[in-house]
Amino acid sequence: MTEGYEFYGAEVSYYSGKVRAYLRYKRIPFIEYGATAEIYRNVILPRVGWPVIPIVVTPEGETLQDSTDIIDALEERFPEAPVYPATTKQRLAALLLELYGDEWLKIPAMHYRWTRNREFALSEFGRLSAPELPPEGQREVADRISKPFAGALPFLGATPKTAEAIEKSYEALLGELDRHFAAHEFLFGSRPSIGDFGLIGPLYAHQFRDPASGELMKRIAPNVVRWVQRMMKPPHPKGGEFLPRDEVPETLVPILARMMREMVPVLVSTAHLFTKWVAEHPGAREGAEEIPRAIGMHAFTLEGAQENRAVFPYDLWMLQRPLDFLSSLEADEKLRAADLLSAAGGETFLDFPAFPRVTRKNFKIALA
């Protein structure tokens, strides 16, 4: 056993930002290790089986992987100042915004990184992965290891065809968030929620730190900048309060409506296509066949631009979280949740198409 928790991640990493902000807010003792090639070889691959960050190793030697699983496991160990609101509308909105930040804001995050901040990203990758090499050696390493990341853009639907739409949507989102954070420290008051931690991943690691994106954020959304800074250096760790009387500020409704408009049609299509895929792959039900990260392509529309993107079954695991919460509600609570969803144009969530349930086994998605 070691004292404290070992956190393996990177400043440049989307989900590392989410976990690091959480660890700091909860005042969980941890030591951060940069994910160098040596760390991948000697720690991450032996523990997880594939190259991924962040991971957290507990004092007992348990390996936690996936930002949501990490936070949920640590919430059980550190229940003081929970990041999940206890009330109906706030909790539902927080779960929805975590899903949105985790899985949809990857599109603008990756678009800006690899079209506007490429040289900075490459220098960061090289410096992190091979700190012992001179700059030219780091660049060679960065060119090699960055290919899967830069090459992922078409699978996310981030192509020249959608570039203008991605930037239009993202800049409008920044404006909506800026209006909210002009009046509130965090999404639901003076305490960060799981929704805040979902949003901080893309908005810190890619959009705040990367220079061109950072300048854009500072220029058009200074209140978002201040929120990012609060998330990374919490003003009252393990403190703050959620708004009373289950209030979801009106300033969050346009953000939820954007999610419903942009992301939910993709989730519905994913549910249908995954149901079909499972029917065609009986080995997956028997555990003999892994669920791949993507199961084909489907169409989506963003700000009037149409393109294809990959079908990601993992999105359904994240989607199950708000759906499970909705199904757990008593009748009067469900009516209150329905009011929030209706205000945001999210009635689809009240009768979402059924799909085979998924879980996580051995750090991967599997059929439940």
Side-chain angles (χ1 to χ4, degrees), residues 183-213:
H184 301 279
E185 286 187 80
F186 300 103
L187 290 176
F188 306 103
S190 57
R191 176 189 298 183
S193 71
I194 191 65
D196 291 272
F197 293 110
L199 294 176
I200 197 62
L203 292 177
Y204 171 70
H206 287 236
Q207 307 289 35
F208 175 80
R209 286 191 77 250
D210 288 12
S213 302

Side-chain angles (χ1 to χ4, degrees), residues 13-35:
S13 156
Y14 195 108
Y15 297 105
S16 294
K18 177 182 177 183
V19 174
R20 186 186 301 106
Y22 173 83
L23 292 169
R24 289 175 177 173
Y25 170 69
K26 298 286 278 199
R27 280 187 172 167
I28 298 171
F30 73 98
I31 299 174
E32 181 166 353
Y33 297 91

Side-chain angles (χ1 to χ4, degrees), residues 259-270 298-299:
M259 174 190 179
M260 301 306 165
R261 188 168 65 248
E262 296 177 351
M263 185 183 192
V264 171
V266 172
L267 293 173
V268 171
S269 175
T270 301
H298 58 165

